[in-house]
Amino acid sequence: MNNKEQSMQKSLELAKESLQEVSIESRLQQLGASYKVTEIGINFSAFGRMLTIDQNLNISLIPGSLKKLPDSLKVVILHCLKENFVCSRTDEFIAFREFSGGLFYEKPYKNRTIDILAQTFQNDTVALNEALKQIECSQLDQGDLSVKFILFGHLEMILTYWKGDEEFQPEATLVYSKNMKYKLSAEDVVVFSHIVIIDIISCLRQ
């Protein structure tokens, strides 16, 4: 196991430790997430994946899922469950820089999210739209193409895309429901935003 893998395992262990005395059902309710209690754990949906969390706080994909579940996303999910905060649905959205540490991480955030998306699709919003049809999201009337993702309960994200022209390159923006600010750090937002973008690009390649 290399240093990066060791660090990730340590992050997972710390996240689990913080939830040892916590009711996962209660936290899912606070997030506004639907769930089902089974013999082996609790089934729920988060970040476009159907998941199970067992009594030892191990998170796994429900059999039949074609998507990957990196350890980094497991950490983000556990962080969402960690905070004792009732997460009401909101129409207020914020930019990445408004998260704690957002200004510091803004360059790597763009490199790993909106820059990758724009470089991949360029002006081909038809291909982007076809890729998005394979992901759970709803269309909005903004830019040349815009969709809203329900990430985890009442935690939401909006992607808006503009085609380029002779003066400007293609551009994308991501904004996040304001309630997320009380659940996740800027680092967490970088992780799951990158994973969502990679999910979209993966749909293009299918």
Side-chain angles (χ1 to χ4, degrees):
M1 186 180 293
N2 60 37
N3 289 340
K4 185 176 180 180
E5 290 171 336
Q6 289 177 345
S7 177
M8 184 57 62
Q9 285 303 309
K10 182 63 176 179
S11 295
L12 266 174
E13 291 170 9
L14 289 173
K16 288 179 181 180
E17 286 176 11
S18 69
L19 289 165
Q20 288 299 319
E21 306 300 324
V22 170
S23 164
I24 299 302
E25 280 191 70
S26 175
R27 292 296 163 85
L28 287 168
Q29 291 169 6
Q30 289 182 344
L31 279 162
S34 299
Y35 64 91
K36 181 180 180 180
V37 179
T38 70
E39 292 182 357
I40 60 173
I42 302 174
N43 295 349
F44 62 99
S45 175
F47 301 97
R49 290 153 172 80
M50 292 302 300
L51 306 168
T52 294
I53 185 168
D54 65 21
Q55 62 182 1
N56 295 317
L57 303 174
N58 296 311
I59 301 173
S60 59
L61 291 163
I62 289 177
S65 176
L66 299 177
K67 292 184 178 179
K68 295 179 180 179
L69 180 60
D71 286 343
S72 57
L73 186 57
K74 294 179 185 179
V75 172
V76 171
I77 292 167
L78 292 171
H79 286 173
C80 287
L81 295 168
K82 175 183 174 182
E83 298 302 325
N84 184 16
F85 171 76
V86 177
C87 188
S88 301
R89 191 177 296 281
T90 179
D91 292 326
E92 292 185 75
F93 285 78
I94 60 174
F96 175 76
R97 64 176 56 194
E98 294 186 53
F99 286 89
S100 176
L103 285 173
F104 178 79
Y105 284 104
E106 191 164 28
K107 186 174 180 179
Y109 161 77
K110 288 182 177 179
N111 289 341
R112 296 184 64 191
T113 57
I114 53 180
D115 287 352
I116 296 174
L117 191 73
Q119 290 163 12
T120 300
F121 289 96
Q122 296 293 318
N123 284 338
D124 196 351
T125 51
V126 173
L128 176 56
N129 190 46
E130 287 301 312
L132 288 166
K133 285 179 180 178
Q134 301 177 58
I135 294 177
E136 188 175 344
C137 58
S138 56
Q139 294 280 340
L140 299 176
D141 186 19
Q142 299 175 21
D144 291 309
L145 181 62
S146 185
V147 293
K148 179 190 287 186
F149 300 90
I150 297 175
L151 300 172
F152 193 2
H154 292 156
L155 304 180
E156 300 176 340
M157 179 179 80
I158 293 175
L159 161 66
T160 304
Y161 197 90
W162 291 268
K163 293 189 288 188
D165 56 26
E166 294 177 355
E167 295 184 44
F168 300 100
Q169 294 294 315
E171 182 182 2
T173 61
L174 294 170
V175 293
Y176 307 88
S177 54
K178 191 174 181 179
N179 51 22
M180 203 179 297
K181 189 175 182 180
Y182 308 102
K183 286 285 186 181
L184 299 173
S185 68
E187 293 175 87
D188 290 326
V189 177
V190 173
V191 169
F192 79 71
S193 298
H194 173 73
I195 290 170
V196 171
I197 295 300
I198 296 303
D199 284 348
I200 296 170
I201 294 171
S202 297
C203 289
L204 173 68
R205 295 169 178 164
Q206 290 178 0

